Amino acid sequence: MGKLDNIKIPDNFDSTIDLAIDKALNDKKKLKLRKRKSIAAGLSGILIVGTIALSSETTWAYIEVFTEKIESFLGRDSNAFDKYKFKGNQTDESKGLKFSIGEVMLDDRQLIVSMTLDYSNYKFKSNNINKENLYPSSVTVAIDDLVFTPQRSSIESEKIKGEDKNKILFTTSLSAIDTDKDGWSETPYEILDKIKSNKDYDVKISFNEVSKWEGQEYKPIFGKWEFKTKINASNILKDTKVYKINKTVKINEDTYKGDFTIEEVRVSPVSVKVKYNYDPYNTIAPMPRVVVKNQDEKELIDIFDSNSENGNCKDKKYMSGEFEFIGNEKNITVTPSLYFDDKVNLFEDGNIEIAID
């Protein structure tokens, strides 16, 4: 974030603050293309971590409230999601790590939370841990009596230079619930298909582990953090559309042969979810997936890198790709694809085009 390094507050204070905010927004959009992805062994899902350093303490002090907004992490207009968000306004500290919840937003199949981590009271030296890349792990979400135990997560973190604090955007999948209370979400669940409109729901967000990597070594910090709030799904329900597709394309490549079917496309104000299935295969090979592009041919980011695995598949495989909007989408194209040797083969006869209202 070198663009903010040398900002000084002159007499024309208001215009300088406006400039700083504009620069921050532009750099946030670039950050989305520079996410570092790390697969954490022994953890549930995939953590995607991005880090920004804001180097002007004065600038940060005046745009702190602005950057607490979920929209600022996603590079969207500052009030774009106001009608979908709810305030957390809670702080909980354990083991010297203080987490504060800012905003909470229910999206289709995921919960998005902005938070701040204050690690000024944590004894890093005595625990032989440095301060970089701390983020919540193994997060459980309860919505009334529905329990979503730890699933795939995506994390973005902003380092505030000069302070022992990070701003964090945490996104966790809500694709399955724990019905037998064994601590694992084993039952697929479409929350927006089941949740009621015009009803307030109690939400509890809890975790007992903070992730920390020291090179290739994983050193979790254990504690207990818990937050409670309420949400109402009326607006996100109204503005999310579901398209039943059921379109099949035959793939006949050396690395994969079989039918690939796009079953359903779900479009919310924040993201696109694509459900698909494909025939089994008998050799170790890249699995087919989908690519989503907007009207400018820009490929949307897969939020959880949900199509990244390779392996054998004896039964028909059912998958879901979840992609984040850039923010200017007028239409999208969903295309079956196959990756091999860092190259992608697109099967455009299976294209699905959807206009975004």
Side-chain angles (χ1 to χ4, degrees):
M1 295 290 288
K3 292 184 179 182
L4 295 177
D5 285 353
N6 299 314
I7 293 178
K8 297 180 180 180
I9 305 301
D11 293 334
N12 56 335
F13 177 80
D14 290 340
S15 61
T16 303
I17 292 300
D18 289 341
L19 176 62
I21 290 173
D22 288 340
K23 287 178 178 291
L25 266 180
N26 289 332
D27 283 341
K28 292 271 180 59
K29 293 176 181 178
K30 295 176 183 177
L31 171 68
K32 303 301 293 183
L33 303 178
R34 299 198 301 269
K35 287 182 179 176
R36 292 187 293 108
K37 299 179 182 178
S38 60
I39 301 178
L43 294 180
S44 175
I46 294 174
L47 300 177
I48 304 174
V49 183
T51 302
I52 314 174
L54 296 181
S55 57
S56 168
E57 293 182 36
T58 305
T59 301
W60 178 262
Y62 286 100
I63 67 173
E64 182 173 13
V65 175
F66 180 81
T67 55
E68 287 177 349
K69 286 178 170 289
I70 288 173
E71 291 93 337
S72 67
F73 286 94
L74 302 179
R76 307 291 287 273
D77 292 340
S78 62
N79 299 315
F81 303 139
D82 276 358
K83 64 180 180 177
Y84 312 116
K85 299 184 302 183
F86 299 88
K87 290 294 183 181
N89 293 335
Q90 297 171 63
T91 297
D92 197 5
E93 183 171 0
S94 181
K95 300 297 180 67
L97 297 177
K98 183 187 296 184
F99 285 88
S100 299
I101 295 293
E103 298 178 333
V104 177
M105 178 178 170
L106 178 67
D107 185 29
D108 188 23
R109 308 188 87 226
Q110 63 188 27
L111 191 74
I112 305 172
V113 183
S114 68
M115 59 178 70
T116 301
L117 167 60
D118 182 336
Y119 50 84
S120 58
N121 293 328
Y122 185 76
K123 297 178 181 179
F124 287 94
K125 289 185 179 180
S126 60
N127 288 285
N128 194 28
I129 291 177
N130 67 47
K131 299 180 180 181
E132 299 301 318
N133 296 333
L134 296 169
Y135 39 83
S137 179
S138 300
V139 176
T140 294
V141 176
I143 302 177
D144 276 6
D145 58 349
L146 298 174
V147 179
F148 300 83
T149 54
Q151 299 177 56
R152 298 175 299 179
S153 299
S154 171
I155 306 240
E156 289 189 41
S157 177
E158 296 181 351
K159 175 67 175 66
I160 307 173
K161 189 172 181 180
E163 297 187 53
D164 289 334
K165 294 181 180 179
N166 290 340
K167 294 287 184 180
I168 295 171
L169 185 73
F170 176 81
T171 303
T172 185
S173 174
L174 302 178
S175 60
I177 58 174
D178 180 9
T179 54
D180 56 12
K181 299 182 180 179
D182 65 349
W184 296 93
S185 290
E186 77 291 336
T187 305
Y189 196 85
E190 287 292 353
I191 186 166
L192 287 197
D193 291 351
K194 304 291 181 67
I195 201 168
K196 295 180 180 179
S197 183
N198 299 316
K199 178 182 176 180
D200 292 337
Y201 286 83
D202 293 319
V203 176
K204 183 171 72 173
I205 302 165
S206 59
F207 53 97
N208 55 16
E209 186 176 331
V210 172
S211 290
K212 182 69 191 80
W213 282 92
E214 297 285 342
Q216 297 298 314
E217 184 180 0
Y218 182 62
K219 295 183 176 181
I221 302 170
F222 295 102
K224 184 178 180 180
W225 297 267
E226 183 176 288
F227 308 90
K228 295 180 180 179
T229 188
K230 289 183 179 290
I231 62 170
N232 187 299
S234 300
N235 289 326
I236 196 71
L237 279 171
K238 182 176 62 176
D239 294 341
T240 298
K241 296 184 178 181
V242 179
Y243 301 88
K244 300 295 184 181
I245 306 298
N246 293 320
K247 183 175 182 178
T248 299
V249 60
K250 290 186 178 297
I251 298 177
N252 186 19
E253 300 292 318
D254 292 338
T255 54
Y256 176 81
K257 300 179 187 296
D259 287 348
F260 185 97
T261 301
I262 297 176
E263 300 177 3
E264 179 181 274
V265 179
R266 305 172 67 93
V267 179
S268 81
V270 181
S271 57
V272 180
K273 314 293 191 303
V274 184
K275 286 185 177 182
Y276 56 90
N277 70 71
Y278 52 89
D279 286 338
Y281 51 90
N282 298 317
T283 59
I284 298 296
M287 65 181 186
R289 54 181 293 178
V290 294
V291 169
V292 180
K293 295 182 179 181
N294 67 11
Q295 70 281 352
D296 300 319
E297 288 295 308
K298 290 185 178 179
E299 187 172 336
L300 304 189
I301 294 173
D302 188 338
I303 300 170
F304 302 118
D305 200 15
S306 49
N307 303 306
S308 63
E309 65 186 75
N310 294 344
N312 287 315
C313 176
K314 295 181 180 180
D315 301 312
K316 185 176 286 290
K317 193 83 168 180
Y318 295 87
M319 298 290 291
S320 176
E322 308 184 15
F323 305 86
E324 183 180 291
F325 276 138
I326 295 171
N328 62 346
E329 280 72 22
K330 296 180 176 61
N331 58 70
I332 57 170
T333 301
V334 181
T335 306
S337 66
L338 193 66
Y339 280 85
F340 188 70
D341 287 341
D342 294 326
K343 296 180 180 179
V344 60
N345 189 1
L346 299 176
F347 301 92
E348 296 183 350
D349 52 338
N351 276 3
I352 304 296
E353 296 186 3
I354 294 176
I356 307 298
D357 293 337

